[in-house]
Amino acid sequence: MTVEEYLRTGPVDLSYVAQRMWPDNKNAKVYMSMKLNGKRPFTKKDAESAIEVLKSLSDNISNLTID
């Protein structure tokens, strides 16, 4: 599965990912939606950036504790 496919179908908040991928874009969620719906190309740079955000999120989740 590619990162683009995962973003389309996975259980992740796209707003969160989009805001971190494009922090200066006030319409990052819309921009992400356009890319995932084929209205704009989803580039290799987009894929690399999305993977970086998802890995960071994974690290944060892995470091959670009960106490």
Side-chain angles (χ1 to χ4, degrees):
M1 174 182 286
T2 67
V3 68
E4 184 177 359
E5 292 168 337
Y6 180 79
L7 291 172
R8 284 188 196 143
T9 62
V12 65
D13 181 4
L14 292 180
S15 294
Y16 175 85
V17 175
Q19 289 170 352
R20 269 122 196 102
M21 286 176 67
W22 303 289
D24 297 328
N25 185 339
K26 292 181 182 183
N27 295 311
K29 182 180 176 182
V30 173
Y31 191 60
M32 171 75 85
S33 178
M34 291 173 63
K35 285 182 169 276
L36 295 177
N37 290 323
K39 293 180 183 173
R40 296 192 65 109
F42 192 85
T43 66
K44 181 178 178 180
K45 183 178 177 183
D46 294 330
E48 291 168 349
S49 182
I51 288 172
E52 185 177 313
V53 171
L54 293 170
K55 284 183 179 180
S56 174
L57 179 59
S58 172
D59 290 343
N60 291 339
I61 291 169
S62 295
N63 291 326
L64 293 175
T65 63
I66 294 171
D67 295 316

Short mmCIF file of all heavy atoms in Angstrom, two decimals:
data_model
loop_
_atom_site.label_atom_id
_atom_site.label_comp_id
_atom_site.label_asym_id
_atom_site.label_seq_id
_atom_site.Cartn_x
_atom_site.Cartn_y
_atom_site.Cartn_z
N MET A 1 0.85 -1.18 0.00
CA MET A 1 0.00 0.00 0.00
C MET A 1 0.89 1.24 0.00
O MET A 1 1.83 1.32 0.77
CB MET A 1 -0.90 -0.02 1.24
CG MET A 1 -1.72 1.23 1.43
SD MET A 1 -2.74 1.26 2.91
CE MET A 1 -4.03 0.15 2.45
N THR A 2 0.56 2.19 -0.85
CA THR A 2 1.33 3.43 -0.88
C THR A 2 0.81 4.38 0.19
O THR A 2 -0.29 4.20 0.71
CB THR A 2 1.20 4.13 -2.25
OG1 THR A 2 -0.16 4.57 -2.42
CG2 THR A 2 1.61 3.21 -3.39
N VAL A 3 1.60 5.39 0.48
CA VAL A 3 1.17 6.38 1.47
C VAL A 3 -0.07 7.12 0.97
O VAL A 3 -0.97 7.44 1.76
CB VAL A 3 2.32 7.35 1.85
CG1 VAL A 3 2.68 8.26 0.70
CG2 VAL A 3 1.95 8.18 3.06
N GLU A 4 -0.17 7.34 -0.32
CA GLU A 4 -1.35 8.01 -0.88
C GLU A 4 -2.59 7.15 -0.64
O GLU A 4 -3.64 7.66 -0.23
CB GLU A 4 -1.15 8.27 -2.36
CG GLU A 4 -2.27 9.04 -3.00
CD GLU A 4 -2.03 9.37 -4.46
OE1 GLU A 4 -0.96 9.01 -5.01
OE2 GLU A 4 -2.92 9.98 -5.06
N GLU A 5 -2.50 5.85 -0.89
CA GLU A 5 -3.62 4.94 -0.63
C GLU A 5 -3.98 4.91 0.85
O GLU A 5 -5.16 4.91 1.21
CB GLU A 5 -3.29 3.53 -1.12
CG GLU A 5 -3.17 3.40 -2.61
CD GLU A 5 -2.56 2.09 -3.06
OE1 GLU A 5 -1.82 1.44 -2.27
OE2 GLU A 5 -2.81 1.71 -4.21
N TYR A 6 -2.97 4.90 1.70
CA TYR A 6 -3.22 4.88 3.14
C TYR A 6 -3.96 6.14 3.58
O TYR A 6 -4.90 6.07 4.36
CB TYR A 6 -1.90 4.76 3.92
CG TYR A 6 -2.12 4.74 5.40
CD1 TYR A 6 -2.54 3.59 6.05
CD2 TYR A 6 -1.96 5.89 6.16
CE1 TYR A 6 -2.77 3.57 7.41
CE2 TYR A 6 -2.19 5.90 7.52
CZ TYR A 6 -2.59 4.73 8.14
OH TYR A 6 -2.84 4.73 9.49
N LEU A 7 -3.56 7.28 3.06
CA LEU A 7 -4.23 8.53 3.43
C LEU A 7 -5.68 8.53 2.96
O LEU A 7 -6.55 9.08 3.64
CB LEU A 7 -3.48 9.73 2.85
CG LEU A 7 -2.11 10.01 3.47
CD1 LEU A 7 -1.39 11.09 2.68
CD2 LEU A 7 -2.23 10.40 4.94
N ARG A 8 -5.94 7.90 1.83
CA ARG A 8 -7.32 7.84 1.34
C ARG A 8 -8.19 6.92 2.18
O ARG A 8 -9.37 7.17 2.35
CB ARG A 8 -7.35 7.32 -0.10
CG ARG A 8 -6.94 8.32 -1.11
CD ARG A 8 -7.19 7.79 -2.51
NE ARG A 8 -6.47 8.58 -3.47
CZ ARG A 8 -5.89 8.11 -4.54
NH1 ARG A 8 -5.95 6.83 -4.81
NH2 ARG A 8 -5.26 8.91 -5.36
N THR A 9 -7.63 5.84 2.69
CA THR A 9 -8.45 4.81 3.34
C THR A 9 -8.15 4.59 4.81
O THR A 9 -8.94 3.95 5.50
CB THR A 9 -8.25 3.46 2.62
OG1 THR A 9 -6.88 3.07 2.73
CG2 THR A 9 -8.67 3.54 1.17
N GLY A 10 -7.03 5.08 5.30
CA GLY A 10 -6.60 4.79 6.66
C GLY A 10 -7.35 5.58 7.72
O GLY A 10 -8.02 6.57 7.43
N PRO A 11 -7.19 5.15 8.97
CA PRO A 11 -7.89 5.79 10.09
C PRO A 11 -7.10 6.95 10.67
O PRO A 11 -6.81 6.99 11.86
CB PRO A 11 -8.00 4.65 11.09
CG PRO A 11 -6.74 3.86 10.87
CD PRO A 11 -6.49 3.95 9.38
N VAL A 12 -6.73 7.89 9.83
CA VAL A 12 -5.91 9.01 10.29
C VAL A 12 -6.64 10.32 9.98
O VAL A 12 -7.34 10.43 8.97
CB VAL A 12 -4.51 8.96 9.63
CG1 VAL A 12 -4.59 9.17 8.15
CG2 VAL A 12 -3.57 9.94 10.27
N ASP A 13 -6.49 11.29 10.86
CA ASP A 13 -7.11 12.60 10.68
C ASP A 13 -6.33 13.38 9.62
O ASP A 13 -5.20 13.83 9.88
CB ASP A 13 -7.12 13.34 12.02
CG ASP A 13 -7.76 14.72 11.94
OD1 ASP A 13 -8.28 15.08 10.87
OD2 ASP A 13 -7.74 15.41 12.96
N LEU A 14 -6.91 13.53 8.46
CA LEU A 14 -6.23 14.20 7.36
C LEU A 14 -5.95 15.67 7.66
O LEU A 14 -4.97 16.22 7.17
CB LEU A 14 -7.03 14.07 6.06
CG LEU A 14 -7.10 12.66 5.49
CD1 LEU A 14 -7.92 12.68 4.20
CD2 LEU A 14 -5.72 12.09 5.24
N SER A 15 -6.79 16.30 8.46
CA SER A 15 -6.54 17.70 8.82
C SER A 15 -5.22 17.82 9.56
O SER A 15 -4.42 18.73 9.29
CB SER A 15 -7.66 18.23 9.71
OG SER A 15 -8.85 18.30 9.00
N TYR A 16 -4.98 16.91 10.49
CA TYR A 16 -3.74 16.91 11.27
C TYR A 16 -2.54 16.74 10.34
O TYR A 16 -1.56 17.49 10.41
CB TYR A 16 -3.78 15.79 12.31
CG TYR A 16 -2.51 15.63 13.09
CD1 TYR A 16 -2.26 16.41 14.21
CD2 TYR A 16 -1.53 14.72 12.69
CE1 TYR A 16 -1.08 16.29 14.92
CE2 TYR A 16 -0.35 14.58 13.39
CZ TYR A 16 -0.13 15.35 14.51
OH TYR A 16 1.05 15.23 15.20
N VAL A 17 -2.60 15.74 9.48
CA VAL A 17 -1.49 15.46 8.57
C VAL A 17 -1.27 16.65 7.63
O VAL A 17 -0.14 17.09 7.45
CB VAL A 17 -1.75 14.16 7.77
CG1 VAL A 17 -0.65 13.93 6.74
CG2 VAL A 17 -1.86 12.96 8.71
N ALA A 18 -2.34 17.17 7.06
CA ALA A 18 -2.23 18.28 6.11
C ALA A 18 -1.63 19.52 6.77
O ALA A 18 -0.77 20.19 6.18
CB ALA A 18 -3.60 18.59 5.52
N GLN A 19 -2.07 19.82 7.98
CA GLN A 19 -1.55 21.00 8.66
C GLN A 19 -0.06 20.88 8.94
O GLN A 19 0.66 21.88 8.95
CB GLN A 19 -2.31 21.24 9.97
CG GLN A 19 -3.71 21.73 9.73
CD GLN A 19 -4.55 21.75 11.00
OE1 GLN A 19 -4.13 21.28 12.04
NE2 GLN A 19 -5.74 22.30 10.90
N ARG A 20 0.41 19.68 9.20
CA ARG A 20 1.83 19.49 9.45
C ARG A 20 2.64 19.43 8.16
O ARG A 20 3.80 19.80 8.14
CB ARG A 20 2.07 18.26 10.30
CG ARG A 20 2.07 18.63 11.77
CD ARG A 20 1.05 17.90 12.58
NE ARG A 20 0.83 18.53 13.87
CZ ARG A 20 -0.23 19.28 14.13
NH1 ARG A 20 -1.10 19.57 13.19
NH2 ARG A 20 -0.43 19.78 15.33
N MET A 21 2.02 18.97 7.09
CA MET A 21 2.72 18.93 5.81
C MET A 21 2.89 20.33 5.22
O MET A 21 3.93 20.63 4.63
CB MET A 21 1.94 18.05 4.81
CG MET A 21 2.05 16.58 5.09
SD MET A 21 1.03 15.59 3.97
CE MET A 21 1.84 15.85 2.39
N TRP A 22 1.87 21.16 5.37
CA TRP A 22 1.88 22.51 4.82
C TRP A 22 1.48 23.50 5.92
O TRP A 22 0.38 24.08 5.90
CB TRP A 22 0.91 22.61 3.65
CG TRP A 22 1.21 21.63 2.56
CD1 TRP A 22 2.26 21.64 1.70
CD2 TRP A 22 0.45 20.46 2.23
NE1 TRP A 22 2.20 20.57 0.85
CE2 TRP A 22 1.10 19.82 1.15
CE3 TRP A 22 -0.73 19.88 2.71
CZ2 TRP A 22 0.62 18.66 0.57
CZ3 TRP A 22 -1.20 18.72 2.15
CH2 TRP A 22 -0.53 18.12 1.08
N PRO A 23 2.36 23.75 6.89
CA PRO A 23 2.01 24.60 8.04
C PRO A 23 1.67 26.05 7.69
O PRO A 23 0.95 26.71 8.44
CB PRO A 23 3.24 24.53 8.93
CG PRO A 23 4.34 24.09 8.05
CD PRO A 23 3.73 23.27 6.96
N ASP A 24 2.13 26.53 6.56
CA ASP A 24 1.86 27.91 6.17
C ASP A 24 0.61 28.05 5.30
O ASP A 24 0.22 29.16 4.94
CB ASP A 24 3.05 28.51 5.42
CG ASP A 24 4.29 28.57 6.30
OD1 ASP A 24 4.14 28.76 7.53
OD2 ASP A 24 5.40 28.42 5.77
N ASN A 25 -0.01 26.93 4.98
CA ASN A 25 -1.20 26.94 4.12
C ASN A 25 -2.45 26.89 5.00
O ASN A 25 -2.72 25.88 5.63
CB ASN A 25 -1.15 25.75 3.16
CG ASN A 25 -2.28 25.75 2.16
OD1 ASN A 25 -3.32 26.37 2.37
ND2 ASN A 25 -2.08 25.03 1.08
N LYS A 26 -3.22 27.97 5.01
CA LYS A 26 -4.43 28.02 5.84
C LYS A 26 -5.50 27.06 5.34
O LYS A 26 -6.42 26.71 6.06
CB LYS A 26 -4.98 29.44 5.90
CG LYS A 26 -4.08 30.39 6.64
CD LYS A 26 -4.65 31.78 6.71
CE LYS A 26 -3.68 32.69 7.42
NZ LYS A 26 -4.21 34.04 7.58
N ASN A 27 -5.39 26.64 4.10
CA ASN A 27 -6.35 25.70 3.51
C ASN A 27 -5.71 24.34 3.26
O ASN A 27 -6.01 23.66 2.28
CB ASN A 27 -6.90 26.27 2.19
CG ASN A 27 -7.70 27.52 2.41
OD1 ASN A 27 -8.58 27.55 3.27
ND2 ASN A 27 -7.40 28.57 1.67
N ALA A 28 -4.84 23.93 4.17
CA ALA A 28 -4.09 22.68 3.99
C ALA A 28 -5.02 21.48 3.83
O ALA A 28 -4.76 20.60 3.01
CB ALA A 28 -3.14 22.47 5.16
N LYS A 29 -6.10 21.44 4.59
CA LYS A 29 -7.02 20.29 4.50
C LYS A 29 -7.64 20.22 3.09
O LYS A 29 -7.74 19.13 2.51
CB LYS A 29 -8.10 20.41 5.55
CG LYS A 29 -9.07 19.26 5.55
CD LYS A 29 -10.14 19.41 6.61
CE LYS A 29 -11.14 18.29 6.52
NZ LYS A 29 -12.22 18.43 7.49
N VAL A 30 -8.04 21.35 2.55
CA VAL A 30 -8.63 21.39 1.21
C VAL A 30 -7.57 21.00 0.18
O VAL A 30 -7.84 20.24 -0.76
CB VAL A 30 -9.21 22.79 0.91
CG1 VAL A 30 -9.65 22.91 -0.54
CG2 VAL A 30 -10.35 23.10 1.86
N TYR A 31 -6.36 21.50 0.37
CA TYR A 31 -5.25 21.19 -0.53
C TYR A 31 -4.99 19.68 -0.55
O TYR A 31 -4.83 19.08 -1.61
CB TYR A 31 -4.02 21.97 -0.07
CG TYR A 31 -2.86 21.98 -1.02
CD1 TYR A 31 -2.98 22.50 -2.30
CD2 TYR A 31 -1.62 21.49 -0.63
CE1 TYR A 31 -1.90 22.54 -3.17
CE2 TYR A 31 -0.53 21.52 -1.49
CZ TYR A 31 -0.68 22.04 -2.75
OH TYR A 31 0.38 22.07 -3.61
N MET A 32 -4.98 19.07 0.64
CA MET A 32 -4.79 17.62 0.74
C MET A 32 -5.92 16.89 0.03
O MET A 32 -5.69 15.95 -0.72
CB MET A 32 -4.72 17.19 2.20
CG MET A 32 -4.74 15.69 2.42
SD MET A 32 -3.20 14.88 2.02
CE MET A 32 -2.36 15.12 3.57
N SER A 33 -7.13 17.33 0.26
CA SER A 33 -8.29 16.69 -0.36
C SER A 33 -8.19 16.75 -1.88
O SER A 33 -8.47 15.76 -2.57
CB SER A 33 -9.57 17.37 0.11
OG SER A 33 -10.69 16.82 -0.52
N MET A 34 -7.79 17.90 -2.41
CA MET A 34 -7.65 18.04 -3.86
C MET A 34 -6.59 17.08 -4.40
O MET A 34 -6.76 16.49 -5.46
CB MET A 34 -7.30 19.48 -4.21
CG MET A 34 -8.45 20.45 -3.97
SD MET A 34 -8.00 22.18 -4.20
CE MET A 34 -7.58 22.20 -5.93
N LYS A 35 -5.50 16.91 -3.66
CA LYS A 35 -4.44 16.00 -4.09
C LYS A 35 -4.91 14.55 -4.05
O LYS A 35 -4.62 13.77 -4.95
CB LYS A 35 -3.20 16.19 -3.23
CG LYS A 35 -2.45 17.47 -3.58
CD LYS A 35 -1.20 17.63 -2.77
CE LYS A 35 -0.34 18.73 -3.29
NZ LYS A 35 0.54 18.37 -4.38
N LEU A 36 -5.64 14.18 -3.00
CA LEU A 36 -6.08 12.79 -2.88
C LEU A 36 -7.24 12.46 -3.81
O LEU A 36 -7.47 11.29 -4.12
CB LEU A 36 -6.46 12.49 -1.42
CG LEU A 36 -5.30 12.56 -0.43
CD1 LEU A 36 -5.80 12.31 0.98
CD2 LEU A 36 -4.20 11.58 -0.80
N ASN A 37 -7.97 13.48 -4.27
CA ASN A 37 -9.07 13.26 -5.20
C ASN A 37 -8.67 13.44 -6.65
O ASN A 37 -9.51 13.38 -7.54
CB ASN A 37 -10.24 14.20 -4.86
CG ASN A 37 -10.91 13.82 -3.57
OD1 ASN A 37 -11.04 12.64 -3.26
ND2 ASN A 37 -11.33 14.79 -2.79
N GLY A 38 -7.38 13.66 -6.90
CA GLY A 38 -6.87 13.73 -8.27
C GLY A 38 -7.01 15.09 -8.94
O GLY A 38 -6.71 15.21 -10.12
N LYS A 39 -7.44 16.10 -8.21
CA LYS A 39 -7.56 17.43 -8.81
C LYS A 39 -6.21 18.14 -8.90
O LYS A 39 -6.06 19.08 -9.67
CB LYS A 39 -8.55 18.27 -8.02
CG LYS A 39 -9.96 17.74 -8.13
CD LYS A 39 -10.94 18.57 -7.36
CE LYS A 39 -12.32 17.93 -7.46
NZ LYS A 39 -13.28 18.59 -6.60
N ARG A 40 -5.27 17.69 -8.08
CA ARG A 40 -3.88 18.16 -8.12
C ARG A 40 -3.01 16.91 -8.00
O ARG A 40 -3.42 15.93 -7.38
CB ARG A 40 -3.59 19.12 -6.98
CG ARG A 40 -4.40 20.41 -7.06
CD ARG A 40 -3.89 21.41 -6.09
NE ARG A 40 -2.53 21.81 -6.44
CZ ARG A 40 -2.19 23.00 -6.93
NH1 ARG A 40 -3.12 23.91 -7.12
NH2 ARG A 40 -0.95 23.28 -7.21
N PRO A 41 -1.82 16.92 -8.54
CA PRO A 41 -0.96 15.72 -8.45
C PRO A 41 -0.42 15.51 -7.04
O PRO A 41 -0.06 16.46 -6.35
CB PRO A 41 0.17 16.01 -9.44
CG PRO A 41 0.18 17.49 -9.62
CD PRO A 41 -1.22 17.98 -9.37
N PHE A 42 -0.42 14.27 -6.62
CA PHE A 42 0.21 13.87 -5.35
C PHE A 42 1.64 13.48 -5.70
O PHE A 42 1.88 12.43 -6.29
CB PHE A 42 -0.55 12.70 -4.72
CG PHE A 42 -0.15 12.43 -3.30
CD1 PHE A 42 -0.74 13.12 -2.26
CD2 PHE A 42 0.80 11.46 -3.00
CE1 PHE A 42 -0.38 12.88 -0.94
CE2 PHE A 42 1.17 11.21 -1.69
CZ PHE A 42 0.57 11.91 -0.66
N THR A 43 2.58 14.33 -5.36
CA THR A 43 3.97 14.18 -5.80
C THR A 43 4.79 13.30 -4.85
O THR A 43 4.35 12.98 -3.75
CB THR A 43 4.64 15.56 -5.89
OG1 THR A 43 4.73 16.10 -4.56
CG2 THR A 43 3.87 16.51 -6.80
N LYS A 44 5.98 12.97 -5.31
CA LYS A 44 6.91 12.21 -4.47
C LYS A 44 7.24 13.02 -3.22
O LYS A 44 7.33 12.47 -2.12
CB LYS A 44 8.19 11.90 -5.26
CG LYS A 44 9.18 11.09 -4.46
CD LYS A 44 10.43 10.76 -5.27
CE LYS A 44 11.41 10.00 -4.39
NZ LYS A 44 12.63 9.66 -5.12
N LYS A 45 7.40 14.32 -3.36
CA LYS A 45 7.68 15.19 -2.21
C LYS A 45 6.51 15.15 -1.22
O LYS A 45 6.72 15.12 0.00
CB LYS A 45 7.93 16.62 -2.68
CG LYS A 45 8.30 17.57 -1.57
CD LYS A 45 8.59 18.96 -2.09
CE LYS A 45 8.87 19.90 -0.93
NZ LYS A 45 9.08 21.26 -1.37
N ASP A 46 5.28 15.12 -1.73
CA ASP A 46 4.10 15.00 -0.85
C ASP A 46 4.15 13.69 -0.09
O ASP A 46 3.89 13.65 1.11
CB ASP A 46 2.80 15.07 -1.66
CG ASP A 46 2.56 16.41 -2.32
OD1 ASP A 46 3.01 17.44 -1.78
OD2 ASP A 46 1.92 16.41 -3.39
N ALA A 47 4.47 12.61 -0.79
CA ALA A 47 4.54 11.29 -0.15
C ALA A 47 5.61 11.28 0.93
O ALA A 47 5.37 10.76 2.04
CB ALA A 47 4.83 10.22 -1.20
N GLU A 48 6.76 11.83 0.65
CA GLU A 48 7.84 11.87 1.64
C GLU A 48 7.44 12.69 2.86
O GLU A 48 7.70 12.29 3.99
CB GLU A 48 9.11 12.44 1.00
CG GLU A 48 9.73 11.51 -0.02
CD GLU A 48 10.81 12.16 -0.87
OE1 GLU A 48 10.97 13.41 -0.81
OE2 GLU A 48 11.51 11.42 -1.60
N SER A 49 6.79 13.81 2.63
CA SER A 49 6.35 14.66 3.73
C SER A 49 5.28 13.97 4.56
O SER A 49 5.30 14.02 5.80
CB SER A 49 5.81 15.99 3.16
OG SER A 49 5.42 16.84 4.19
N ALA A 50 4.34 13.30 3.91
CA ALA A 50 3.28 12.59 4.63
C ALA A 50 3.86 11.46 5.47
O ALA A 50 3.46 11.27 6.63
CB ALA A 50 2.25 12.04 3.64
N ILE A 51 4.82 10.72 4.92
CA ILE A 51 5.45 9.65 5.67
C ILE A 51 6.16 10.21 6.89
O ILE A 51 6.10 9.63 7.98
CB ILE A 51 6.40 8.83 4.77
CG1 ILE A 51 5.58 7.98 3.80
CG2 ILE A 51 7.32 7.95 5.60
CD1 ILE A 51 6.40 7.28 2.75
N GLU A 52 6.83 11.33 6.74
CA GLU A 52 7.52 11.97 7.87
C GLU A 52 6.52 12.33 8.98
O GLU A 52 6.77 12.07 10.16
CB GLU A 52 8.24 13.22 7.38
CG GLU A 52 9.08 13.89 8.43
CD GLU A 52 9.84 15.09 7.86
OE1 GLU A 52 10.44 14.95 6.78
OE2 GLU A 52 9.80 16.14 8.51
N VAL A 53 5.39 12.90 8.61
CA VAL A 53 4.36 13.26 9.60
C VAL A 53 3.81 12.01 10.26
O VAL A 53 3.65 11.96 11.49
CB VAL A 53 3.23 14.08 8.93
CG1 VAL A 53 2.06 14.27 9.90
CG2 VAL A 53 3.74 15.42 8.45
N LEU A 54 3.51 10.98 9.47
CA LEU A 54 2.96 9.75 10.03
C LEU A 54 3.95 9.03 10.95
O LEU A 54 3.56 8.50 11.99
CB LEU A 54 2.49 8.82 8.90
CG LEU A 54 1.29 9.33 8.10
CD1 LEU A 54 1.08 8.47 6.86
CD2 LEU A 54 0.04 9.38 8.96
N LYS A 55 5.22 9.04 10.59
CA LYS A 55 6.24 8.44 11.45
C LYS A 55 6.36 9.19 12.77
O LYS A 55 6.50 8.58 13.83
CB LYS A 55 7.59 8.37 10.74
CG LYS A 55 7.66 7.27 9.71
CD LYS A 55 9.03 7.18 9.08
CE LYS A 55 9.08 6.04 8.08
NZ LYS A 55 10.40 5.92 7.45
N SER A 56 6.29 10.51 12.70
CA SER A 56 6.32 11.32 13.92
C SER A 56 5.13 10.99 14.81
O SER A 56 5.28 10.85 16.03
CB SER A 56 6.33 12.80 13.55
OG SER A 56 6.24 13.59 14.70
N LEU A 57 3.97 10.87 14.22
CA LEU A 57 2.77 10.51 14.97
C LEU A 57 2.92 9.12 15.58
O LEU A 57 2.59 8.90 16.74
CB LEU A 57 1.55 10.55 14.05
CG LEU A 57 0.21 10.19 14.66
CD1 LEU A 57 -0.13 11.12 15.82
CD2 LEU A 57 -0.88 10.24 13.60
N SER A 58 3.48 8.20 14.84
CA SER A 58 3.73 6.85 15.33
C SER A 58 4.67 6.86 16.52
O SER A 58 4.45 6.17 17.52
CB SER A 58 4.31 5.98 14.21
OG SER A 58 4.72 4.74 14.70
N ASP A 59 5.73 7.65 16.43
CA ASP A 59 6.68 7.77 17.54
C ASP A 59 5.99 8.32 18.79
O ASP A 59 6.21 7.83 19.89
CB ASP A 59 7.86 8.67 17.17
CG ASP A 59 8.77 8.05 16.14
OD1 ASP A 59 8.71 6.81 15.94
OD2 ASP A 59 9.56 8.80 15.52
N ASN A 60 5.16 9.34 18.59
CA ASN A 60 4.44 9.92 19.73
C ASN A 60 3.52 8.89 20.38
O ASN A 60 3.44 8.81 21.61
CB ASN A 60 3.62 11.14 19.29
CG ASN A 60 4.48 12.31 18.91
OD1 ASN A 60 5.64 12.41 19.31
ND2 ASN A 60 3.93 13.23 18.14
N ILE A 61 2.83 8.11 19.59
CA ILE A 61 1.93 7.08 20.12
C ILE A 61 2.72 5.99 20.83
O ILE A 61 2.34 5.53 21.91
CB ILE A 61 1.06 6.49 19.00
CG1 ILE A 61 0.06 7.56 18.52
CG2 ILE A 61 0.32 5.25 19.46
CD1 ILE A 61 -0.67 7.20 17.26
N SER A 62 3.85 5.60 20.25
CA SER A 62 4.68 4.54 20.85
C SER A 62 5.24 4.94 22.21
O SER A 62 5.52 4.09 23.03
CB SER A 62 5.84 4.19 19.92
OG SER A 62 5.37 3.65 18.72
N ASN A 63 5.38 6.23 22.44
CA ASN A 63 5.95 6.71 23.69
C ASN A 63 4.92 7.00 24.78
O ASN A 63 5.28 7.49 25.85
CB ASN A 63 6.80 7.97 23.43
CG ASN A 63 8.05 7.65 22.65
OD1 ASN A 63 8.64 6.58 22.81
ND2 ASN A 63 8.46 8.56 21.79
N LEU A 64 3.67 6.70 24.51
CA LEU A 64 2.63 6.93 25.53
C LEU A 64 2.80 5.97 26.68
O LEU A 64 3.24 4.84 26.51
CB LEU A 64 1.24 6.73 24.90
CG LEU A 64 0.80 7.73 23.86
CD1 LEU A 64 -0.53 7.31 23.26
CD2 LEU A 64 0.71 9.12 24.45
N THR A 65 2.46 6.44 27.87
CA THR A 65 2.50 5.60 29.07
C THR A 65 1.17 5.69 29.80
O THR A 65 0.37 6.60 29.56
CB THR A 65 3.63 6.06 30.02
OG1 THR A 65 3.35 7.38 30.45
CG2 THR A 65 4.99 6.00 29.34
N ILE A 66 0.98 4.77 30.72
CA ILE A 66 -0.25 4.76 31.51
C ILE A 66 -0.17 5.83 32.61
O ILE A 66 -1.13 6.52 32.90
CB ILE A 66 -0.49 3.37 32.14
CG1 ILE A 66 -0.76 2.39 31.01
CG2 ILE A 66 -1.63 3.40 33.13
CD1 ILE A 66 -0.81 0.95 31.45
N ASP A 67 0.97 5.93 33.24
CA ASP A 67 1.13 6.91 34.33
C ASP A 67 1.98 8.07 33.90
O ASP A 67 2.86 8.05 33.19
CB ASP A 67 1.79 6.24 35.54
CG ASP A 67 0.88 5.17 36.11
OD1 ASP A 67 -0.34 5.41 36.24
OD2 ASP A 67 1.42 4.11 36.43
#
